[in-house]
Amino acid sequence: MKGRTHFTTFAIIIGILSLNTAQASIVTDGLVSYWPFDKGYIIQKTAKDVWGDNNGTIVGNPKVVPGQVGEALEFDGSGDFINLTTLGDFGRQIGTSSFEAWIKTSNTTRWMTLINTHGAECPYWGIEFNGRNEKDRFEIIERTLWYYFSVGGPRSCGKVGRSTRMNIIFDGEWHHIVYTSDYMIDEGVGGSGKRVMYIDSVFVYTNNHSFSGNRAFSPFTAPVTLGARKFPGRKSSGHFMGTIDEVRLYARPLTAAEVYQNFVSTQPYNVTPKGKLSTVWATLKTKL
């Protein structure tokens, strides 16, 4: 009887541990901000950052719709986007960082922005898509993904960009995008590193390069916008047409294994603790 009681208690503890770890099934090491876009975290015109302090301001009227995980936001392609502020010191960390999102779009009529920041000076950074052949736009061909960022200096702003043809992105299905950067800077001398793009957890391209001179990554001088370009003093443009879900920023490059871990995670974020193990164990002991 006593052995059976111990076995039952052990099974209960294992179940409790499973409940406690399920909500953390995504990678949290280095996580800076996380916008799940679930309906419980969309409050009027605010998209809550459930991990950090960077709540977004919703512009236009994107709709809460079923997402890849929980709910998502659907953008109409005309005036919808989210102002994510300048993200505090994240711009200074962009040299070793990751951006992640789930997207769904079938828009092939024009170029559009997933995420972007661009002030009057460095730095600028983002990901854009070209649905049709607009060679005057980034000098890229149709149905491509364009990802870029800049490395600032006292006299110039070095831009690093890469376009990759990705027809699959425009098929109206959910796709997981992760953009990582991993750079080292030697103050006053220069630096080197690489950027990696993953689609649906599969490595699709890496770009290695080096730069010289007095360069540095510094805080963003303009708000980061999700779903459109919005330069200071200008109207928004390049509006995203489709659905965006599970947007995350990390202050380090995710590994291929971590990208896959997030890709297969299906647990909606839940900020309510499931119950501390020590408290539950104390309760069980009193009943034995």
Side-chain angles (χ1 to χ4, degrees):
M1 181 67 180
K2 187 175 180 180
R4 182 180 298 177
T5 300
H6 286 168
F7 177 80
T8 303
T9 302
F10 179 75
I12 291 172
I13 292 172
I14 294 300
I16 292 166
L17 283 171
S18 299
L19 288 172
N20 275 274
T21 56
Q23 70 185 57
S25 58
I26 65 163
V27 175
T28 57
D29 181 20
L31 184 60
V32 173
S33 288
Y34 176 12
W35 300 272
F37 298 146
D38 292 340
K39 59 185 178 182
Y41 305 119
I42 301 295
I43 304 169
Q44 295 181 344
K45 289 292 185 178
T46 297
K48 185 172 177 57
D49 175 1
V50 297
W51 192 264
D53 299 317
N54 299 305
N55 291 344
T57 300
I58 298 172
V59 179
N61 295 289
K63 298 178 181 178
V64 177
V65 298
Q68 173 65 15
V69 179
E71 288 81 44
L73 282 181
E74 184 179 65
F75 298 76
D76 64 9
S78 65
D80 297 340
F81 67 93
I82 300 178
N83 182 328
L84 297 178
T85 76
T86 57
L87 300 180
D89 197 47
F90 184 72
R92 198 185 303 274
Q93 304 172 66
I94 199 70
T96 51
S97 67
S98 300
F99 167 81
E100 176 183 12
W102 281 93
I103 68 161
K104 181 168 68 171
T105 184
S106 56
N107 174 36
T108 57
T109 61
R110 54 180 172 75
W111 72 275
M112 57 187 179
T113 296
L114 176 56
I115 193 165
N116 172 265
T117 185
H118 197 325
E121 301 176 353
C122 275
Y124 46 89
W125 163 78
I127 300 175
E128 309 201 18
F129 303 113
N130 202 33
R132 66 177 183 179
N133 191 354
E134 286 187 276
K135 290 187 177 181
D136 61 330
R137 190 71 193 172
F138 316 121
E139 298 181 352
I140 57 179
I141 59 177
E142 63 182 334
R143 302 199 183 185
T144 53
L145 179 153
W146 172 254
Y147 50 103
Y148 53 90
F149 73 87
S150 62
V151 185
R155 295 183 180 180
S156 64
C157 182
K159 183 176 180 180
V160 181
R162 173 70 189 182
S163 61
T164 302
R165 188 157 192 176
M166 293 297 299
N167 283 304
I168 190 174
I169 287 176
F170 305 89
D171 64 1
E173 302 293 335
W174 283 108
H175 294 290
H176 185 241
I177 294 179
V178 178
Y179 175 26
T180 75
S181 58
D182 189 7
Y183 284 83
M184 293 292 292
I185 291 181
D186 187 355
E187 187 175 351
V189 177
S192 63
K194 66 179 180 179
R195 295 168 302 127
V196 181
M197 179 65 67
Y198 299 87
I199 306 293
D200 296 339
S201 81
V202 177
F203 160 85
V204 295
Y205 190 80
T206 186
N207 177 250
N208 297 271
H209 83 289
S210 59
F211 43 87
S212 60
N214 187 14
R215 303 278 183 172
F217 295 103
S218 56
F220 295 135
T221 58
V224 176
T225 51
L226 182 76
R229 275 189 166 215
K230 180 64 176 72
F231 296 170
R234 301 185 189 178
K235 293 182 178 181
S236 57
S237 60
H239 295 92
F240 189 85
M241 182 183 293
T243 312
I244 303 175
D245 196 11
E246 298 293 294
V247 175
R248 305 183 189 105
L249 294 173
Y250 291 83
R252 67 178 184 85
L254 295 175
T255 66
E258 290 171 328
V259 169
Y260 181 75
Q261 180 178 337
N262 284 357
F263 173 69
V264 299
S265 173
T266 58
Q267 295 293 331
Y269 184 81
N270 184 356
V271 296
T272 304
K274 298 286 186 178
K276 293 183 179 179
L277 179 59
S278 58
T279 302
V280 177
W281 174 242
T283 303
L284 285 171
K285 286 178 67 177
T286 62
K287 295 181 178 181
L288 294 179

